[in-house]
Amino acid sequence: MTSRNQYDMQNPLTQFPQPTYPAQVQVPPGTVHKLTPAADHGEKSYVGLGRMKGRKALVTGADSGIGRAVAIAFAREGADVALNYLPEEEEDAAEVVALIEAEGRKAVAVPGDLQDEQFCSDLVAKAVKGLGGLDVLANIAGKQLAVEKIEDLTTEQFDATFRTNVHALFWVCRAVLPHLPEGATIINTASIQAYQPSPNLLDYAPTKAAIVNFTKALAQQVAERGIRVNAVAPGPIWTPLQPAGGQPPEAIPEFGSKTPLKRAGQPVEMAPAYVLLATQESSYITGEVIGATGGMLLP
Amino acid sequence: MPVPNYPKPPFKAQQQSFPGKTDKLDPRPDHGEEGYVGHGLLKGKKALITGGDSGIGAAVAIAYAREGADVAIAFLQGEEKDAASIGALIEAAGQKAVLCPCDISDDAQAEALIKQVTTELGGLDILVNNAAYQRYYESFDDITLDDWRKTFETNVHAVFNLTRLCVPHLADGGSVINTASVNSKKPTPNILPYSATKGALANLTIGLAGLLAEKGIRVNAVLPGPIWTPFIPAGMAAEEVEQFGSQTPFGRPGQPAELASAYVMLAADSASYTSGALLTISGGAVTL
């Protein structure tokens, strides 16, 4: 792991740990503390430059993985941040709250399950109240559980994956839009899986294809309101979601090795795309999906 | 505001001869001369931008300099005036500017260009393959074989050749950014050769990303939609210029300044896991 900041030039092949990783399994939803090697969310390396000064952001799935890296980056760039996560992820989330507050920014913690439509409305209301408005929404929370055979994929899991990844996205976007001023942005989290589905992610991969499509449709619908909607499509990223059932245990040691960069991506490497899409710098970008895949192909 | 006070169609019908002059474009495009604020994201880097005298290349040159990079720009002979004004802005940002008139489709000139740039900048970290040739054809019969060849030599062959010449300098952390187009995915019939080269360039970008990963070089592309540059009245019918950008959800063309941040992000080392990406900037005109 590097102690240099994110702008110091280094070889991306060797910048972060490379496979083989130790075999490991976690209970879903997983915690950053049981990941070996530890993931880098930019706690030590992300240097903010005031690019989001005065902005108010809601980040779902902000306790760990990509959401944690984005929440930290947004705060370091000067934004106040409302964080959503599952109640059982309180310990990881509390650390993110502390990191945000260490930047002198406001943190509003709103634990709860996005599968509940009413909660999605309450989440937006609490974030708006806590921050005095919202102008960035980063939908990052996601559910992924690998199942090898369709016969073993339960209707409950299929439903829960779609409710978390797709329905919740719709519910949160619908609730937040009346609050968003001109210039606000929504950033969704798609995946390489939207384009190159893994056979054992028969529920998860289609949710990501839906997110790509939803992003492009909503972007066109709300363009006239002066609101932009985009997505980031990560490749294989080193987050607790992976050993917590997102991958079969035997896939963890070689996780990310098939990308051209031959390693898993780290959450901190996703943050720049979210920051770019959140700020006014990207004023003509809407309906777009930015890949951060270690060289894997998006169409 | 994503729908800022940028000009909307209808524009004045206008034509220029290729490659077009910034001063003759009405309204004048925004390259970020007044608006772009740097944060040191590219401090100490050395960049070469082809077509850096006007349009998107000019906006990227200004942004890179304000982010702390020394910048070389390559441009066609005859574009010295536009190039000098961008060179002055690079120097005003406190960075070194190297101005290189060059026909990048000529192999000998390309080789001399890279030799000059790497010598004067003391190396190279970022190559932005941005220069391109585009011409509008009323009908298929107007497309000559010479024009077809010229389009591919500038837009595809030169990109490969410049990348080839730069790779030894870019190893272990360098970045190549190609300017493709929404035409890469959705061709416009009346600019057939151009659209075909942009399809090739998107494909080349992904292939290069795979092949150059082991050298620690990232390769990505930006796919602009309708952007207000001198290239437009030089490469389109006058009546199409009038309504340029009106088909996007934003109802206007993008300004070069609005593309610079994507080129900065892709060049900065913070995007260390981003390679092989095709980033569309189209005011909501979606591509898959």
Side-chain angles (χ1 to χ4, degrees):
Chain A
M1 211 66 49
T2 175
S3 61
R4 295 189 275 184
N5 77 45
Q6 80 268 31
Y7 297 115
D8 287 331
M9 188 156 175
Q10 39 191 318
N11 187 335
L13 287 170
T14 52
Q15 183 172 352
F16 290 105
Q18 298 161 276
T20 310
Y21 305 114
Q24 54 200 294
V25 175
Q26 289 197 40
V27 177
T31 166
V32 295
H33 294 289
K34 289 190 179 155
L35 266 181
T36 316
D40 187 346
H41 311 92
E43 289 94 336
K44 296 203 169 68
S45 63
Y46 192 95
V47 176
L49 300 162
R51 294 163 70 190
M52 295 178 65
K53 212 161 139 185
R55 301 291 297 263
K56 303 165 197 299
L58 168 58
V59 181
T60 70
D63 58 299
S64 69
I66 298 169
R68 182 182 179 106
V70 168
I72 292 170
F74 281 5
R76 298 230 172 123
E77 296 291 358
D80 292 333
V81 182
L83 309 85
N84 161 255
Y85 51 89
L86 289 169
E88 57 265 41
E89 298 167 320
E90 186 63 46
E91 188 192 337
D92 283 0
E95 295 163 356
V96 183
V97 167
L99 286 165
I100 293 168
E101 290 175 347
E103 298 303 315
R105 306 317 315 172
K106 192 165 187 178
V108 175
V110 191
D113 187 349
L114 296 167
Q115 291 185 58
D116 176 351
E117 180 176 357
Q118 183 58 49
F119 172 72
C120 290
S121 302
D122 295 346
L123 165 65
V124 169
K126 285 179 184 166
V128 166
K129 189 162 179 242
L131 298 181
L134 271 180
D135 49 43
V136 178
L137 166 62
N139 290 302
I140 301 174
K143 185 177 179 64
Q144 176 187 331
L145 289 171
V147 175
E148 295 305 317
K149 285 192 196 154
I150 188 169
E151 292 84 354
D152 297 331
L153 178 56
T154 63
T155 301
E156 279 118 350
Q157 177 178 325
F158 191 87
D159 272 351
T161 306
F162 266 82
R163 284 178 82 86
T164 306
N165 298 2
V166 181
H167 290 59
L169 180 65
F170 163 61
W171 291 327
V172 174
C173 284
R174 190 179 57 182
V176 84
L177 270 160
H179 300 284
L180 295 184
E182 291 182 348
T185 61
I186 296 174
I187 308 155
N188 299 325
T189 304
S191 167
I192 183 74
Q193 291 292 329
Y195 306 98
Q196 297 188 42
S198 296
N200 59 4
L201 297 176
L202 199 58
D203 51 344
Y204 175 86
T207 65
K208 293 296 167 174
I211 291 169
V212 168
N213 202 289
F214 178 89
T215 299
K216 289 171 186 280
L218 185 62
Q220 295 176 80
Q221 188 181 126
V222 301
E224 64 177 23
R225 304 190 205 179
I227 292 164
R228 297 182 296 110
V229 186
N230 293 288
V232 176
I237 309 303
W238 193 245
T239 71
L241 175 142
Q242 305 297 353
Q247 301 291 329
E250 64 274 17
I252 294 295
E254 294 300 325
F255 188 63
S257 63
K258 293 199 171 67
T259 67
L261 290 181
K262 295 187 177 63
R263 62 171 174 85
Q266 292 293 327
V268 67
E269 298 179 281
M270 306 297 106
Y274 286 84
V275 171
L276 171 80
L277 292 173
T279 69
Q280 200 59 40
E281 299 167 19
S282 55
S283 54
Y284 205 58
I285 304 181
T286 192
E288 173 58 351
V289 180
I290 298 187
T293 62
M296 289 174 84
L297 172 64
L298 301 180
Chain B
M1 311 258 291
V3 195
N5 299 324
Y6 281 131
K8 292 196 163 195
F11 299 110
K12 204 175 87 184
Q14 52 196 299
Q15 289 276 262
Q16 291 197 39
S17 57
F18 186 84
K21 304 270 187 282
T22 302
D23 285 343
K24 289 193 188 156
L25 190 59
D26 179 16
R28 195 182 163 80
D30 181 3
H31 307 98
E33 292 92 336
E34 307 288 328
Y36 193 94
V37 178
H39 294 98
L41 269 64
L42 302 176
K43 210 161 133 185
K45 300 249 189 199
K46 306 162 200 299
L48 167 62
I49 302 160
T50 67
D53 57 306
S54 70
I56 297 169
V60 174
I62 292 169
Y64 278 13
R66 293 195 186 162
E67 297 292 357
D70 290 333
V71 180
I73 60 175
F75 51 91
L76 282 172
Q77 257 184 7
E79 304 308 305
E80 283 79 4
K81 190 179 159 215
D82 279 356
S85 73
I86 301 306
L89 287 166
I90 294 168
E91 285 172 353
Q95 300 301 133
K96 187 166 185 174
V98 180
L99 308 185
C100 313
C102 175
D103 177 355
I104 55 169
S105 68
D106 181 286
D107 293 351
Q109 289 189 43
E111 197 169 338
L113 169 71
I114 301 309
K115 194 170 275 179
Q116 182 195 353
V117 167
T118 52
T119 303
E120 292 194 29
L121 293 183
L124 192 70
D125 306 307
I126 305 160
L127 168 64
V128 180
N129 287 306
N130 172 73
Y133 175 69
Q134 174 183 322
R135 204 181 139 182
Y136 179 91
Y137 307 91
E138 284 289 343
S139 86
F140 177 80
D141 304 330
D142 298 334
I143 305 171
T144 66
L145 203 50
D146 277 350
D147 244 18
W148 171 265
R149 199 171 277 126
K150 177 178 174 180
T151 313
F152 269 82
E153 281 176 356
T154 306
N155 300 5
V156 181
H157 172 78
V159 169
F160 174 75
N161 191 35
L162 289 177
T163 304
R164 182 183 70 91
L165 293 164
C166 288
V167 158
H169 303 281
L170 296 173
D172 296 339
S175 169
V176 176
I177 304 165
N178 297 324
T179 302
S181 167
V182 288
N183 287 287
S184 301
K185 297 181 174 181
K186 196 178 168 199
T188 305
N190 295 100
I191 49 174
L192 183 88
Y194 173 86
S195 285
T197 62
K198 293 300 176 175
L201 191 51
N203 192 293
L204 180 69
T205 299
I206 296 165
L208 279 173
L211 206 53
L212 292 178
E214 63 174 21
K215 295 182 188 292
I217 300 170
R218 296 181 299 108
V219 186
N220 295 285
V222 174
L223 279 58
I227 308 301
W228 191 244
T229 74
F231 202 77
I232 298 310
M236 284 205 160
E239 60 273 18
E240 295 205 8
V241 176
E242 261 184 294
Q243 290 305 320
F244 190 64
S246 61
Q247 303 298 316
T248 68
F250 280 9
R252 64 169 177 89
Q255 293 293 326
E258 295 179 282
L259 280 81
S261 57
Y263 287 83
V264 170
M265 184 197 78
L266 292 173
D269 293 304
S270 50
S272 47
Y273 205 58
T274 301
S275 192
L278 306 178
L279 203 169
T280 299
I281 305 182
S282 64
V286 303
T287 55
L288 282 172

